[in-house]
Amino acid sequence: MTAIPRRRAPRAASAGALCALGVTVLTGCGGEDPDAGTNGVGKLPAEQIQSRTRTAAEAADAVRLSGNVVASGRTYRLDMRLKADGASGSVTAEGATFQLLRVGEALFLKADADFWTDADGKGDGSGSGTDAAADKLGDKYVKVPQGDPSYKKFSGFTDMDVLLDGLLTLHGTVATDGRHQQAGVRTIRITGDDGSGGTLDVSLEGTPYPVRLVRAGGAGTLTFSAWGKDFPLAEPDEDETVDYGKQLPTS
């Protein structure tokens, strides 16, 4: 008996043929899709990315901000957790570090004795006079009176809306500058005037929050994290606070 040959199954279409037919083949039609698994903002024009990230930041309940800000020729190192009704964290300027705590309208500043001695510029290390006063203030929370010039200056570091509004700004013509990674987070970068007006990395994962900002004119670099993550705020106990008794230093 003559054997009846089996019919051969049709050959699978080649990747090239699928590409020609407009079918996406990740490995054979130009590599992986850079927007796969992202929030999709990487496909948008730069102006829309900027708008989306500002909207996300404005809607967030809280954020952590860290990095350097240059203002009036002075560099401030910030590490602040911020939300609508207050903030806590540290500020370093010209080698001096102090803690800031704001709960509602109440603003507190905490620093070591050297900070208060240097602020008056009168300490002589003898432990008397200004040095003694500095020792009393050191490592205590000093409540900043709202009428004191320092209140406006220091409270600016604790106001989430003011900080974000002033920082999340790119100058000049906005354009995209490719996909990047910041602290393990995939981002799309937008620039102002090819970078001279600042650069901003926007998260491609989840909500399109700002991730990293390089300010125009070398005015500092900041990173943003813990978006929407609440944190506790409470005024310090009475035994942790002390009255400065005069106008606070503004330097």
Side-chain angles (χ1 to χ4, degrees):
M1 179 181 292
T2 303
I4 300 175
R6 292 183 177 181
R7 295 182 61 186
R8 297 181 62 184
R11 295 183 61 187
S14 67
L18 290 174
C19 290
L21 291 172
V23 179
T24 302
V25 179
L26 296 182
T27 58
C29 301
E32 295 185 0
D33 179 2
D35 292 301
T38 73
N39 54 28
V41 298
K43 300 177 181 180
L44 301 177
E47 293 82 359
Q48 290 187 33
I49 298 173
Q50 185 177 39
S51 176
R52 292 278 186 94
T53 198
R54 287 189 69 94
T55 298
E58 290 168 0
D61 295 326
V63 66
R64 182 175 183 177
L65 180 154
S66 59
N68 297 317
V69 172
V70 180
S72 302
R74 183 169 296 173
T75 299
Y76 297 91
R77 173 75 184 177
L78 309 179
D79 188 359
M80 299 294 302
R81 296 202 68 175
L82 309 154
K83 57 183 179 179
D85 60 347
S88 67
S90 66
V91 178
T92 301
E94 297 184 343
T97 298
F98 52 92
Q99 306 291 317
L100 286 177
L101 170 65
R102 183 173 64 83
V103 183
E105 298 299 320
L107 177 66
F108 300 88
L109 187 153
K110 181 179 180 181
D112 60 19
D114 288 341
F115 173 88
W116 297 108
T117 302
D118 293 341
D120 277 340
K122 299 175 183 177
D124 58 10
S126 65
S128 61
T130 302
D131 287 320
D135 287 340
K136 186 179 294 185
L137 297 170
D139 297 319
K140 294 285 188 178
Y141 285 98
V142 177
K143 189 171 184 178
V144 184
Q146 291 191 36
D148 192 289
S150 296
Y151 185 91
K152 182 177 181 180
K153 177 178 181 179
F154 293 141
S155 64
F157 292 125
T158 69
D159 192 313
M160 180 175 172
D161 290 338
V162 170
L163 274 176
L164 293 182
D165 186 60
L167 293 173
L168 296 179
T169 300
L170 298 178
H171 303 281
T173 303
V174 182
T176 55
D177 186 27
R179 289 162 174 78
H180 301 265
Q181 275 204 2
Q182 299 294 339
V185 177
R186 289 181 294 171
T187 66
I188 180 73
R189 182 171 297 170
I190 56 176
T191 66
D193 279 349
D194 295 325
S196 63
T199 69
L200 180 65
D201 279 65
V202 177
S203 177
L204 287 172
E205 302 175 10
T207 305
Y209 288 125
V211 176
R212 182 175 182 269
L213 170 72
V214 179
R215 302 181 71 203
T221 299
L222 292 161
T223 59
F224 306 88
S225 60
W227 284 102
K229 295 183 178 179
D230 196 15
F231 58 95
L233 276 178
E235 292 192 19
D237 295 334
E238 287 189 13
D239 60 358
E240 295 181 288
T241 63
V242 66
D243 182 11
Y244 186 70
K246 54 184 173 179
Q247 180 175 305
L248 270 68
T250 56
S251 59

